[in-house]
Amino acid sequence: MRQKIAMYSLIAVLSLARLSAFATEGMWLPQLLGRLNEKEMKGMGLKITAADIYNVNKGSLKDAIVSFGGFCTGEIISSKGLLLTNHHCGYDAIQKHSSVQNNYLDKGFWARSMQEELPNAGLTATFIVRIEDVTKQALEGVAGNLTESQRQSAIDKNLNRIKETAKKEAWQETLIKPFFEGNQYFLFVTETYKDVRLVGAPPSSIGKFGADTDNWVWPRHTGDFSIFRVYAGKDNRPAEYSADNVPLQPKHFLPISLDGIDANDFTMVFGFPGRTNEYLPSEAVKLTVDGQDPARVSMRDAALKVIDGFMRKDEQIKIQYAAKQASTANSWKKWIGEMQGVRQTGGIRRKLDYEARFQQLVKNNAEYQGTYSGLLDSLNNLYKTQAPYAIARDYYTELIRNAEMLGFANSAITLLQETRLKGEEQYETLKQAFLAKVKPQYGNYNNDVDREVATALLDIYFKEVPSNKIGGEAYQIWMETNKDGKTTANKMYSQSAFTSYDKLAAFLNRSFKTVSADVWKDPATRLMIGLRNGYIDFVNKPYDELQPEINRLQRRYMAAQMEVMKDKRFYPDANSTLRITYGKVNGYAPRDAVKYDFATTLDGVMEKYKPGDYEFDVPEKLRELYAQKDYGQYGANGKMPVCFIASNHTTGGNSGSPALDAYGNLIGLNFDRTWEGTMSDINYDPAICRNIMVDIRYVLFIVDKFAGAKNLIEELKLVHPKKAKPKVTPLKKAA
Ligand code: ARG
Ligand code: ASP
């Protein structure tokens, strides 16, 4: 054990030594760049100013960046509202337009004129007009002695007032979000465009090349992009979809650099990162990587093994489960990488070192002593107390998420409860809404798959979760079925009404009273009621009771770090608001004797090519272009660049974000991170954390040479910032 700890600190020292002179950690607020980052960015190579990046008085880079549908990022790349994002961000839209005859996921889609562009109900693009610090107004009159819920309602009142009085145009909206665990508040004035049409998408064999095997992995060879267009009303303002809408005229659109990337080039990524937790204390990080991640991973391991087995044998199941399997596998793989990364880089040791430094600084100062002594220990202790509930919570969530019949049963129980609350006469309406929601889910559901998933997960659940956190009712059923997942599942899947949509509809299409009585007889709802009651009383309640105090201390710990660590620059955790992160193009060395280069080429696509494989097939046209080395103006030194990595600090939600060069030109499209680096959400390490981007030259090559969509290429502004640069002129000789 001793030896192990010594090893960890050695690794920690080594990774510090590998640290470059520049900080690449951080997701910074664009309006504060001038104050906090501009100098460092210039030192790293930035050639424009902070005001060129964010400016409320004239067009700036931020005017080309949108939140795409609220879950990804997109950027505007032409004067006619052309929008670029990832293939996996446009996936749903592409899938919805696809049919067996016109399978755009399979074959790709290219609109040859604006008339052919396809509308997508509900898909939006949101611009940020302005960001304002409203901390003072938000916390006005919020006294220190309030409980957390009193405090929240006082703040909510303030926020409503701020929103009502905020200056904005009629077509704009406002949004206020807490930062730094609620120590600061920022107001966002936004413009949301509601007519966003599909323009182009490569086939999945390019856009999702490598699929799950390559997901989160470097070296990568995926052309993960799709193209949309934002439409506006005739006045250029947001409008609901109408055939009469016109292409948006943006305040700014990104020029595209054809000059490519070199090692150590400055890059920045501008987008909407979703969620990070960089300021957790050591116990919380330990809980994540030693408790929660292993729990979640073990449940998904088991579920995925079953699903993969069926998908390989059965074509119909493969189609039904494709999207579900992809999303289950995406987080599963990320969590594995997170555990490994934190272990490999001594992440917990580094947290402990940081905390020791914090404690020392508090100790050295009488004033800090008075306010902050004991704070960190209390917070760590709270996480320790919460840990068993947090882990049991994850087992429960994973059980009803992956064993879908239990999930359906859980929703049905909610339906009955809601009816009881709202009144029996509401049953018909509520039931119709419920059935409409589950019907498509049953379309992608298979009893044989689900039975085996449930079998495996019930065994893990009842073995791993202590019985006092399961509750008597569920445990009773478990005993009745011999404490055996298979027996429990067989009973459910042979007798329950939840085995098909039609049976379920028939079950629910009776009087509310009859249904309410029968849920105690149906084996799925009976087990689910037991699981749910136990979970609510013995897991969720104690978990929730600890949460307000954790929130309060986490907020104070944040404030304390910012006050005490005078030499440290702080950035707020990601919260789906607009951020800038910057770094350098660079490879990395994740393990002993393993060193990765920073860029891939089409040669690597061909190395991975497996004819007919569902992950690694390569379209014929792309193979021809490769054979002829027909790369046009997009190739470099006889090769076709495909992806590259850099030390930009990104997370989920940054997908589709532009990677920009030192001048603000588009050089790549962010879509993923390297596996060992996914721990960056809780513990960034510049030694191994890398974001993965598609080289913009590959995007253009596919649009132009593969798809022949010259109409799109003509809309773009292609530039040569490196070639345009004058050769270095000797300093003194002039004149
Ligand atoms: N890992 C990336 C992200 O978190 C990309 C996921 C899409 N690709 C895939 N093969 N599932 O979203
Ligand atoms: N693939 C992620 C996304 O969809 C990006 C990441 O987690 O790095 O946003």
Side-chain angles (χ1 to χ4, degrees):
M1 193 62 201
R2 265 262 155 105
Q3 222 172 356
K4 217 170 180 180
I5 290 175
M7 267 283 273
Y8 275 147
S9 11
L10 180 66
I11 294 171
V13 170
L14 285 178
S15 50
L16 273 181
R18 274 182 287 163
L19 238 167
S20 68
F22 299 111
T24 53
E25 172 174 0
M27 302 172 171
W28 303 94
L29 288 161
Q31 79 276 22
L32 301 181
L33 286 183
R35 219 168 73 205
L36 294 174
N37 312 90
E38 190 175 25
K39 206 171 143 212
E40 180 181 67
M41 290 168 89
K42 290 215 154 143
M44 290 170 70
L46 178 70
K47 301 287 185 219
I48 55 177
T49 66
D52 295 325
I53 297 173
Y54 176 89
N55 199 322
V56 291
N57 300 315
K58 63 180 185 66
S60 56
L61 285 183
K62 81 136 170 53
D63 297 311
I65 318 298
V66 297
S67 165
F68 182 78
F71 52 86
C72 275
T73 303
E75 53 276 3
I76 305 296
I77 53 170
S78 88
S79 62
K80 294 181 209 147
L82 211 55
L83 179 155
L84 184 65
T85 189
N86 289 143
H87 186 262
H88 80 262
C89 297
Y91 202 80
D92 258 8
I94 304 166
Q95 182 176 34
K96 278 190 190 128
H97 290 296
S98 297
S99 60
V100 178
Q101 294 80 21
N102 281 317
N103 191 340
Y104 299 140
L105 283 176
D106 242 33
K107 303 262 172 337
F109 169 79
W110 303 97
R112 300 295 166 183
S113 69
M114 287 190 191
Q115 282 70 41
E116 289 180 19
E117 296 175 359
L118 301 171
N120 302 285
L123 188 59
T124 54
T126 299
F127 291 86
I128 304 298
V129 179
R130 181 174 97 235
I131 310 173
E132 243 177 70
D133 188 343
V134 293
T135 308
K136 237 168 112 187
Q137 302 96 295
L139 297 178
E140 203 175 287
V142 179
N145 58 356
L146 301 180
T147 65
E148 280 298 287
S149 79
Q150 288 168 334
R151 182 179 186 274
Q152 197 50 53
S153 55
I155 290 175
D156 286 343
K157 264 189 219 130
N158 287 343
L159 299 190
N160 282 335
R161 194 154 20 84
I162 301 169
K163 278 192 189 171
E164 273 161 27
T165 53
K167 254 194 16 219
K168 69 165 192 73
E169 305 293 346
W171 63 89
Q172 298 175 336
E173 275 136 12
T174 55
L175 171 79
I176 303 175
K177 288 222 172 174
F179 288 73
F180 293 116
E181 316 279 354
N183 285 293
Q184 289 181 23
Y185 285 81
F186 287 96
L187 164 83
F188 296 80
V189 177
T190 62
E191 275 176 9
T192 295
Y193 285 82
K194 300 181 184 77
D195 185 353
V196 179
R197 303 185 196 169
L198 177 63
V199 174
S204 294
S205 51
I206 291 173
K208 205 184 166 178
F209 182 74
D212 288 316
T213 300
D214 269 12
N215 192 19
W216 299 115
V217 165
W218 183 256
R220 192 65 155 275
H221 298 88
T222 314
D224 195 343
F225 79 94
S226 60
I227 302 177
F228 289 77
R229 190 188 303 278
V230 182
Y231 280 79
K234 295 226 161 59
D235 53 7
N236 206 35
R237 289 178 193 154
E240 294 297 331
Y241 168 78
S242 155
D244 296 337
N245 283 346
V246 294
L248 170 79
Q249 289 178 275
K251 286 198 212 89
H252 183 73
F253 65 90
L254 300 176
I256 299 178
S257 163
L258 283 179
D259 286 352
I261 42 123
D262 293 304
N264 284 315
D265 273 1
F266 174 83
T267 64
M268 50 190 174
V269 172
F270 208 171
F272 291 84
R275 184 80 199 121
T276 58
N277 287 293
E278 310 287 357
Y279 303 101
L280 292 175
S282 50
E283 282 299 333
V285 177
K286 242 185 256 175
L287 168 60
T288 307
V289 296
D290 292 343
Q292 294 183 278
D293 282 347
R296 298 185 283 212
V297 167
S298 72
M299 292 291 263
R300 290 198 184 191
D301 265 340
L304 285 167
K305 206 171 280 160
V306 173
I307 294 171
D308 285 340
F310 277 96
M311 282 174 78
R312 279 180 199 283
K313 280 195 310 234
D314 187 314
E315 195 62 22
Q316 167 77 6
I317 292 175
K318 190 180 133 191
I319 296 168
Q320 284 182 310
Y321 277 72
K324 232 175 340 203
Q325 191 271 353
S327 104
T328 304
N330 192 39
S331 306
W332 163 79
K333 203 163 175 184
K334 190 203 133 167
W335 292 325
I336 297 174
E338 185 170 83
M339 295 190 278
Q340 289 183 357
V342 169
R343 279 185 201 146
Q344 230 156 294
T345 58
I348 292 176
R349 185 72 248 158
R350 283 192 298 152
K351 273 278 172 194
L352 288 170
D353 291 346
Y354 177 80
E355 288 174 8
R357 196 157 75 82
F358 170 83
Q359 300 281 44
Q360 192 58 47
L361 289 168
V362 170
K363 213 168 145 196
N364 291 348
N365 178 312
E367 198 183 310
Y368 295 160
Q369 270 275 23
T371 355
Y372 299 131
S373 79
L375 166 64
L376 184 56
D377 289 340
S378 306
L379 183 56
N380 267 322
N381 281 332
L382 277 172
Y383 276 112
K384 235 193 240 171
T385 313
Q386 199 186 38
Y389 305 109
I391 295 165
R393 205 165 172 252
D394 283 342
Y395 276 117
Y396 178 82
T397 315
E398 289 298 320
L399 175 67
I400 64 175
R401 178 195 187 280
N402 294 298
E404 282 186 276
M405 185 186 284
L406 289 175
F408 293 140
N410 187 45
S411 307
I413 296 162
T414 304
L415 161 73
L416 299 180
Q417 267 187 354
E418 228 183 307
T419 309
R420 229 162 276 138
L421 270 171
K422 293 189 174 158
E424 241 182 272
E425 66 286 355
Q426 293 299 313
Y427 181 58
E428 192 52 36
T429 321
L430 292 170
K431 181 192 70 192
Q432 291 305 345
F434 169 80
L435 287 174
K437 204 184 94 206
V438 297
K439 191 168 184 182
Q441 293 171 1
Y442 269 101
N444 288 334
Y445 167 91
N446 176 295
N447 263 311
D448 296 330
V449 180
D450 206 53
R451 186 191 329 108
E452 286 197 28
V453 170
T455 300
L457 297 197
L458 284 167
D459 278 333
I460 302 178
Y461 185 80
F462 280 96
K463 181 164 161 269
E464 295 300 330
V465 182
S467 54
N468 67 359
K469 291 192 176 53
I470 291 178
E473 291 169 67
Y475 216 81
Q476 173 69 31
I477 298 171
W478 185 238
M479 310 244 274
E480 281 168 20
T481 40
N482 307 327
K483 297 185 170 189
D484 173 39
K486 192 162 182 182
T487 316
T488 316
N490 280 347
K491 188 168 172 201
M492 270 190 351
Y493 290 77
S494 60
Q495 297 172 15
S496 173
F498 286 80
T499 44
S500 76
Y501 174 78
D502 289 340
K503 271 200 205 158
L504 176 57
F507 180 82
L508 294 174
N509 282 333
R510 297 175 302 159
S511 80
F512 177 65
K513 277 209 175 60
T514 318
V515 176
S516 298
D518 279 1
V519 288
W520 294 97
K521 294 182 205 144
D522 187 284
T525 30
R526 183 169 166 243
L527 175 60
M528 195 56 233
I529 291 170
L531 290 167
R532 180 171 160 136
N533 288 345
Y535 168 75
I536 291 172
D537 290 343
F538 308 121
V539 177
N540 206 40
K541 197 154 156 270
Y543 179 94
D544 276 356
E545 278 167 4
L546 293 162
Q547 200 56 48
E549 186 61 5
I550 289 184
N551 293 347
R552 192 179 71 85
L553 294 188
Q554 195 70 62
R555 185 171 67 245
R556 291 197 63 213
Y557 178 45
M558 188 73 246
Q561 292 171 70
M562 293 172 85
E563 190 177 342
V564 169
M565 306 281 212
K566 296 255 187 265
D567 56 335
K568 188 171 154 72
R569 246 179 342 169
F570 289 88
Y571 60 93
D573 268 317
N575 59 356
S576 298
T577 59
L578 185 61
R579 304 296 178 86
I580 272 249
T581 160
Y582 48 92
K584 290 193 164 198
V585 173
N586 215 334
Y588 69 113
R591 287 181 298 281
D592 191 26
V594 177
K595 192 174 175 313
Y596 287 118
D597 215 340
F598 61 85
T600 60
T601 68
L602 200 53
D603 296 15
V605 173
M606 294 311 297
E607 282 169 9
K608 288 178 177 174
Y609 170 45
K610 273 192 224 155
D613 186 76
Y614 84 105
E615 295 187 300
F616 291 102
D617 204 2
V618 174
E620 189 184 344
K621 175 83 204 229
L622 187 56
R623 281 183 271 129
E624 279 170 17
L625 290 165
Y626 175 74
Q628 290 151 15
K629 303 270 172 283
D630 184 5
Y631 305 145
Q633 58 181 333
Y634 313 111
N637 310 319
K639 306 243 182 211
M640 185 62 235
V642 174
C643 292
F644 67 101
I645 53 174
S647 53
N648 299 297
H649 187 181
T650 55
T651 189
N654 266 126
S655 274
S657 298
L660 303 165
D661 69 5
Y663 304 90
N665 300 312
L666 187 63
I667 50 173
L669 184 59
N670 184 73
F671 71 102
D672 209 359
R673 278 170 286 163
T674 56
W675 203 17
E676 303 86 348
T678 57
M679 61 156 189
S680 64
D681 289 348
I682 47 174
N683 202 234
Y684 183 90
D685 185 335
I688 61 166
C689 292
R690 296 287 179 272
N691 69 313
I692 307 180
M693 295 150 281
V694 196
D695 193 305
I696 203 66
R697 291 170 295 179
Y698 190 53
V699 172
L700 299 184
F701 161 75
I702 296 295
V703 171
D704 187 342
K705 292 281 177 177
F706 176 83
K710 306 255 185 235
N711 54 322
L712 299 179
I713 300 290
E714 276 159 20
E715 270 189 53
L716 310 173
K717 183 175 169 187
L718 305 179
V719 297
H720 285 282
K722 286 187 180 172
K723 288 192 186 134
K725 221 169 34 184
K727 289 262 169 323
V728 184
T729 37
L731 270 176
K732 292 240 163 100
K733 265 203 175 152

